[in-house]
Amino acid sequence: MITSGGLLRADSPPHLPISDLAMDTPQPTTASPRRAIVIGASSGIGAALVEALAAEGASVGAVARRAGLLDELSAAGGHILTRSHDVRDSAAVPELFEELVRELGGLDLLIFAAALMPAVERDEYNTEKDLAMLAVNVGGAIAWCNEAAGFFKSQRRGHIVGISSIAADRGRKGAPVYGATKAALDHYLEALRNRLSEANVSVTTIKPGFVATDMTAGMGKLPFIISAPSAARRILSAVRQGAETRYVPLRWWLVGRALGLVPSFIFKRLNV
Amino acid sequence: MSEGGAVLSETPTAGEAPGGQGGVPRHYEFVEGWGMACGNYGGVWRPRSAPEVQTVLASAGARGAQLALRGTGCSYGDASTNSRGEVLDLTSMNRILSFEPQAAPGRGRVEAEGGVTIEQLWRFLLPRGHWPRVVSGTAAPTLAGAAAMNIHGKNNFSVGTFGDAISEFDIALPNGELRTVTRASDGDLFHAAIGGCGMLGCITRLVLETHAVHSGDLEVDAIATRRLGEMMEAMEARRESSDYLVGWIDAFASGDNLGRGLIHTARYLEPGEDRAPQDTLTLAHQEQPANILGLYPKTEMWRLLRPFNNAPGMRAVNAAKCLAGRLEGMAGPQRQSHAAFAFLLDFVPNWKFAYGRRPGHGLIQYQSFVPAAAAQACFEDLLRLCQDARREPFLAVFKRHRPDPFWLTHAPQDLDDLGGSWSLALDFKVTPETRPNLWSLCERLTKRVLAAAGRFYFAKDLTLTPGAARTMFPAQNLAAFHALKNELDPQGTLQSDLWRRLFAD
């Protein structure tokens, strides 16, 4: 055992060599291109978002279950990294997130756009189908947004976007569980926004109305329907503006307010 | 001269991302020093048990990866960052395991996991009539981090460092072994691992001595002093009668007022002095209000400090504090709760954000320790050097210390005269533009401190060079530490930016 004794004498000249430290100067954040991850990127709004972001010059990580569709997306050009992943496999998220962020060289934006909306009959009470929606629309969102939240909080900057739906606003006969998953997403994203505001991280809830995608195909003629690229453009504009909640297109906000005013004894008789 | 030293890497680097080894949670994050002046992206493991710590160490060893140990990341500089590897974050191991209130007269004994914070510990102890023997100015550090950096408090002069209050610890070694260590069982490892910056192993469990208190309050007295010499005399005069002693210095005052400031002394109350200890020994009595004036949340208060976070603003704030201190000194002794007195740095949450929140903006603390005989001249020179460079520290804190037996201790060990030492801690604002000049000022300060046979403290350092580390320690101490490191960690699995900057040859 030694003791930490010994007094350095003032007459021994202190030797201070020039430091051999590695030195990385911080890069200006504004000049770096935007780096984004989109979950649910194989079709619909998610695919349109990937294309729009890549067209803006961003590096995009595109994640979806269907690998074939992802390949078509990356073939379209731009800096797009694709990963095949089922969002129900939440245990795989931390590693996949790390891999993508490393390859993208950082991350500024994460958009969760994956959702299941199977056709549900009026008298159908199919637990298996319903729980699958819950796993993808809510479980997947939590797994990815939690991972992004920890990362963005640690770097004190970043933006999380969740694609919810106008279906979250009222409990409708046609989609009990789809609406419930989107209501859960709204609530989760609001709480995340409040938690992360101190850390300089933004959270945006997007509430699209009808968008022409696989999801709405076969639903007949729908009011105010817009194309997926148009929806993507509006969503990215909401992101740039730092919106907290944004109906897409905006007129759904009015519809939402109006539906909210309908009392239950009338609403239960409506076929909406 | 280094061009502003230290590593701050804004861009994550490509590399492999090993999946959760044995189910141990791992996340990819930005890991930075508390002062925000250094940091990098990396994988962060959060083991939940000693076996999981062993799993992470084994996995890092098997992959040839380098691992830095981290608690709550309260070291101002790069002691818990690792720009070339991964980080093991111990905060998920945060259980208090046992407590014996009367292990010895006036002493308790608490056993806890390494990730328990000082805040958790005092909240557990105080309602049971105890207080940790050594706490830092913030309650945020973990016990394992406090041990690895061998932190000290305002009572360093009387009770020693955090390590002096440890009686036993478990350490997970890089070779996979989990060893229980006491002074008697393995004096070398005990005195090297405490203060060893986490370079020998990961402390997973500690046994600490606690101090029985008879009140939730301390008696606190303030004394305004006009210059450094006067402050040192006043603190010396109160050394015997005080349990805590700390000086605050207005680093902007010059000439005849150089080193003017304010001393706070505090003592524990004797049995009977507090007529209602059952009321003061409660968390409610210790809690600081969450709001200012009942309305403004304290978590937002740092924004109010921001306009003053510049040299003219801080000159005014320091002068105002001097004036307030004189009035406080005239008021005579006051009672103050343990938590309010001990954790002044927690009074304004997130106050560091007043230094800026963008990458590369933040603060460093430069704390030097100088043997008592040489301290006054040296610290007056340091203050003058800062003023000559027009880079006055926004906060300067002055403390008294005694020698301790740890190998890499910050406290100068004067074997001829056990007069102990004094320390001066200086907070400097860092921006990417001022960094090179500030580092060159710190180099001049370091030369002066080393000429006075002074030392430094690694939880507060970001600017020292390998030469300084070689000069401040007796050669046999460093050689012994390296030998022990080579024996326990031949692969060099445990690394941090601080270790590579100062010690790796």
Side-chain angles (χ1 to χ4, degrees), chain B residues 68-127:
Chain B
L69 305 181
R70 184 174 169 100
T72 32
C74 288
S75 286
Y76 281 61
D78 55 357
S80 65
T81 66
N82 186 6
S83 56
R84 287 197 213 155
E86 304 166 7
V87 171
L88 186 161
D89 173 326
L90 207 60
T91 52
S92 296
M93 282 185 65
N94 58 358
R95 291 177 304 167
I96 293 173
L97 302 169
S98 72
F99 178 56
E100 265 179 72
Q102 282 160 333
R107 289 266 182 277
R109 186 177 177 278
V110 68
E111 180 194 12
E113 290 183 332
V116 167
T117 63
I118 290 175
E119 168 141 30
Q120 259 181 288
L121 184 65
W122 80 253
R123 284 177 173 273
F124 173 83
L125 291 175
L126 186 105

Side-chain angles (χ1 to χ4, degrees), chain A residues 1-5 8 10 15-16 18-19 21 23-24 27 29 95 98 102 105 147 151 154-157 198, chain B residues 1 5-6 8 10-13 15 17 19 26-28 30 32 41 188 357 406 413 447 451 453 467 471 474 477:
Chain A
M1 148 112 199
I2 61 159
T3 59
S4 17
L8 186 110
H15 172 58
L16 282 172
I18 298 201
S19 166
L21 297 180
M23 167 71 188
D24 289 340
Q27 299 169 350
T29 48
E95 193 179 342
E98 173 169 353
R102 282 182 187 273
E147 199 62 25
F151 176 81
S154 74
Q155 67 172 11
R156 286 192 300 277
R157 126 190 108 69
E198 226 177 85
Chain B
M1 174 57 212
L8 193 137
E10 161 67 4
T11 313
T13 44
R26 173 193 161 111
H27 299 280
Y28 188 64
F30 187 68
E32 65 184 351
Y41 291 89
D188 279 6
R357 295 204 286 182
F406 301 100
Q413 312 287 298
K447 266 187 187 149
T471 312
N477 278 31

Side-chain angles (χ1 to χ4, degrees), chain B residues 165-222:
Chain B
I166 297 175
S167 47
E168 178 184 314
F169 60 80
D170 285 353
I171 186 166
L173 300 172
N175 68 7
E177 188 190 344
L178 185 71
R179 203 183 286 180
T180 300
V181 181
T182 65
R183 283 178 184 80
S185 78
D186 190 345
D188 279 6
L189 186 52
F190 189 89
H191 292 97
I194 293 175
C197 303
M199 288 301 111
L200 301 177
C202 179
I203 295 175
T204 54
R205 185 189 66 97
L206 305 89
V207 179
L208 298 172
E209 280 184 15
T210 66
H211 179 82
V213 290
H214 307 289
S215 166
D217 280 340
L218 294 164
E219 187 180 87
V220 180
D221 204 1

Side-chain angles (χ1 to χ4, degrees), chain A residues 109-204:
Chain A
L109 173 67
L110 179 126
I111 304 180
F112 188 86
L116 276 186
M117 192 181 72
V120 174
E121 300 300 322
R122 276 305 270 270
D123 288 318
E124 188 179 5
Y125 296 96
N126 182 331
T127 303
E128 195 183 334
K129 208 184 244 186
D130 288 348
L131 291 185
M133 271 189 274
L134 197 65
V136 171
N137 305 4
V138 182
I142 291 171
W144 278 95
C145 296
N146 275 354
E147 199 62 25
F151 176 81
F152 286 151
K153 182 175 187 288
S154 74
Q155 67 172 11
R156 286 192 300 277
R157 126 190 108 69
H159 202 139
I160 294 171
V161 177
I163 310 295
S164 175
S165 167
I166 50 161
D169 291 7
R170 292 295 300 250
R172 292 177 306 110
K173 291 172 182 168
V177 175
Y178 181 77
T181 63
K182 293 303 185 180
L185 184 61
D186 281 6
H187 191 104
Y188 166 71
L189 291 173
E190 182 190 4
L192 212 54
R193 172 158 55 241
N194 297 339
R195 264 192 177 202
L196 294 173
S197 67
E198 226 177 85
N200 195 32
V201 176
S202 309
V203 177
T204 299

